Amino acid sequence: MSWLAGWLLACVPSDAPAPAPTPSEPLQTSTSVWTAPPGLGTGQVVRLQRGGATVAVSALDAFGAAPSVYVVPVSAASGSLDDLATATFTNHPTTQAGFDVVVADLDADGADDALVLGSLVTDLLSENTSVMGMLAGPLEGALSAEDLVGAWGGGTTRSYARRLSVADVSGDGVDDLVVTIAALDFSELNGIAVFEGPVTGLPIDGPHDYEISTDAEVGYGANFLTAQLDDDPEHELIVQAATSQEVWLTDARRADADSGRIGVLLQEGWDFAYLGRSLGSGRVVQTDLPEVWLGANGYGERAGRVDAHVVREGLVGTWVASIESHEPHGLFGTSMCLADLNHDGHQDLVVGAPGDPYFGEPRPGRIYVFGGPVAEGEHDASEASQILQMSEAADSFGYAMACQDGQLFVTAPDDPDGKHVYVFEGMRW
């Protein structure tokens, strides 16, 4: 499937696989299941709205045959996404949408808007152009490309691609729009663009206000996360540099845009480990310092691992903990989420291991729940407080996730029965 193309890279053939950890039963956990027709890649992305009241779910391979994006209340019970969604976006029949999606009040009018990233959102753009489209709130009912109030293409040689975020990175107290810049053919990722908020609908190719870029060919921006990592009121960037196997900690204010890199988290000798495939920020180890968590799902014959670094003054990262899987081709670290899921006052860590669709035997996906606090030092994935598996099929369960205190959303894009989103509440272990 096209949404899995990012996994199609070389790997080292494995020896006999290690015994798989035994999944555990969810204890005192309420589970809802949101369904959609199988085969459409539903669950490529799941993103919580800024206030935590709704969640957006993308179906990357819908191609106009079904909604590309669903906006669903977080309180929705089990059922079909078509019935549960308060708003849907269906793209042009020949084009993709749903590479990423955010729901937030972008234009500061009191109503949530949606930004949808896709390969093509109107007939006016060339086939190879990736663009963002904005849907102005309130978000209600069935929406289509005709409802877009603005689209940004990025220019004639580059486009906006792969990842979106909304946060105040410029330091003026207003949320900004942050997005990766890439070459039109996606051969080069070389920057992060910032639209200073509030953001309103603009003509196609409307310019961003400034960008953070690098001279080196490091794949800067393949993935990124906005998070507050120091005492300043604005958010910083945690940016994957996929080619060089680095993760950069960057101050994204306009005054610092030329300097780009401030702190670098580098793992030597991790070729094809995909350091930064997933990113998280919080306080799970609880050292009284902000933490950055990095997933490397290709590490160790694609078994995967996650590492925690505390962030000190000057955006300097120091390693404090790791969790490593020894199940080849599990792709542990493809996704992660940090929140206090069991309401005990400590943040917990959830890591997705959806399985390897190209180089491993078909297997069900799993998520690993590590109740906080996690001790400093090295750990094995089998030490998880819970290991959850929802079917016996190769369903890619754990491919994407989102969470907030007391609630966890996990996708299974390849589930053959269309069980594409699982919602866990009241988790205990």
Side-chain angles (χ1 to χ4, degrees):
M1 296 175 62
S2 61
W3 58 269
L4 289 172
W7 285 348
L8 187 54
L9 292 168
C11 74
V12 179
S14 67
D15 298 321
T22 302
S24 50
E25 291 294 329
L27 304 178
Q28 303 177 28
T29 299
S30 171
T31 307
S32 301
V33 183
W34 300 347
T35 62
L40 299 179
T42 305
Q44 155 75 359
V45 172
V46 57
R47 298 285 295 272
L48 272 165
Q49 170 249 11
R50 288 293 302 277
T54 60
V55 65
V57 181
S58 78
L60 185 59
D61 295 329
F63 288 102
S68 299
V69 176
Y70 300 88
V71 179
V72 185
V74 297
S75 58
S78 293
S80 165
L81 283 168
D82 287 322
D83 297 330
L84 300 174
T86 55
T88 60
F89 172 69
T90 301
N91 203 31
H92 189 277
T94 61
T95 60
Q96 282 184 306
F99 292 166
D100 203 357
V101 56
V102 295
V103 176
D105 184 9
L106 296 162
D107 52 12
D109 67 351
D112 280 334
D113 314 298
L115 271 169
V116 179
L117 189 65
S119 62
L120 186 62
V121 291
T122 78
D123 288 331
L124 303 178
L125 300 171
S126 66
E127 189 172 290
N128 293 325
T129 302
S130 176
V131 296
M132 296 182 295
M134 179 174 171
L135 298 162
L139 302 174
E140 298 174 341
L143 304 170
S144 68
E146 286 71 27
D147 295 298
L148 294 169
V149 298
W152 297 264
T156 57
T157 61
R158 298 189 299 170
S159 63
Y160 302 122
R162 300 197 184 254
R163 187 68 170 163
L164 298 166
S165 184
V166 174
D168 177 20
V169 298
S170 60
D172 62 359
V174 179
D175 280 344
D176 308 302
L177 168 63
V178 190
V179 60
T180 300
I181 304 172
L184 289 183
D185 60 0
F186 303 121
S187 62
E188 181 184 5
L189 292 157
N190 56 5
I192 302 288
V194 178
F195 294 81
E196 293 183 298
V199 176
T200 58
L202 295 176
I204 291 172
D205 286 345
H208 51 267
D209 293 291
Y210 65 95
E211 67 183 72
I212 303 162
S213 58
T214 72
D215 295 329
E217 295 182 0
V218 296
Y220 183 84
N223 187 23
F224 74 86
L225 178 70
T226 53
Q228 198 159 1
L229 300 178
D230 56 22
D231 294 332
D232 297 329
E234 69 270 9
H235 285 62
E236 285 71 46
L237 297 179
I238 308 167
V239 185
Q240 180 191 25
T243 306
S244 60
Q245 295 295 308
E246 296 173 332
V247 172
W248 294 17
L249 306 180
T250 302
D251 192 320
R253 291 174 297 181
R254 183 191 290 268
D256 298 307
D258 291 338
S259 62
R261 177 172 65 177
I262 291 181
V264 178
L265 309 177
L266 173 65
Q267 305 292 160
E268 296 286 354
W270 280 26
D271 294 340
F272 300 114
Y274 314 127
L275 179 68
R277 174 60 177 80
S278 60
L279 300 167
S281 178
R283 301 202 179 197
V284 176
V285 180
Q286 297 188 341
T287 62
D288 295 327
L289 290 170
E291 299 165 14
V292 172
W293 283 81
L294 315 175
N297 67 345
Y299 180 84
E301 297 181 6
R302 298 166 74 88
R305 64 181 285 163
V306 296
D307 286 78
H309 298 249
V310 294
V311 181
R312 305 183 187 278
E313 186 177 354
L315 298 183
V316 176
T318 302
W319 179 92
V320 290
S322 67
I323 306 172
E324 184 175 343
S325 171
H326 293 91
E327 185 181 359
H329 302 286
L331 294 185
F332 177 87
T334 294
S335 62
M336 71 168 68
C337 214
L338 287 73
D340 181 6
L341 296 174
N342 61 351
H343 292 299
D344 67 351
H346 301 292
Q347 275 200 331
D348 310 304
L349 171 70
V350 187
V351 181
D356 190 339
Y358 289 106
F359 301 109
E361 293 294 326
R363 45 146 284 183
R366 294 187 180 128
I367 62 170
Y368 294 70
V369 182
F370 301 90
V374 172
E376 296 185 33
E378 299 178 350
H379 301 275
D380 190 276
S382 62
E383 301 172 25
S385 304
Q386 279 196 331
I387 302 172
L388 300 184
Q389 172 185 316
M390 305 311 292
S391 78
E392 295 300 323
D395 55 0
S396 298
F397 176 67
Y399 180 78
M401 63 177 72
C403 63
Q404 58 187 348
D405 289 352
Q407 202 168 36
L408 172 66
F409 303 84
V410 185
T411 70
D414 282 337
D415 185 85
D417 298 321
K419 297 177 180 179
H420 290 311
V421 183
Y422 291 84
V423 185
F424 301 94
E425 297 181 276
M427 299 187 76
R428 297 291 185 271
W429 45 82

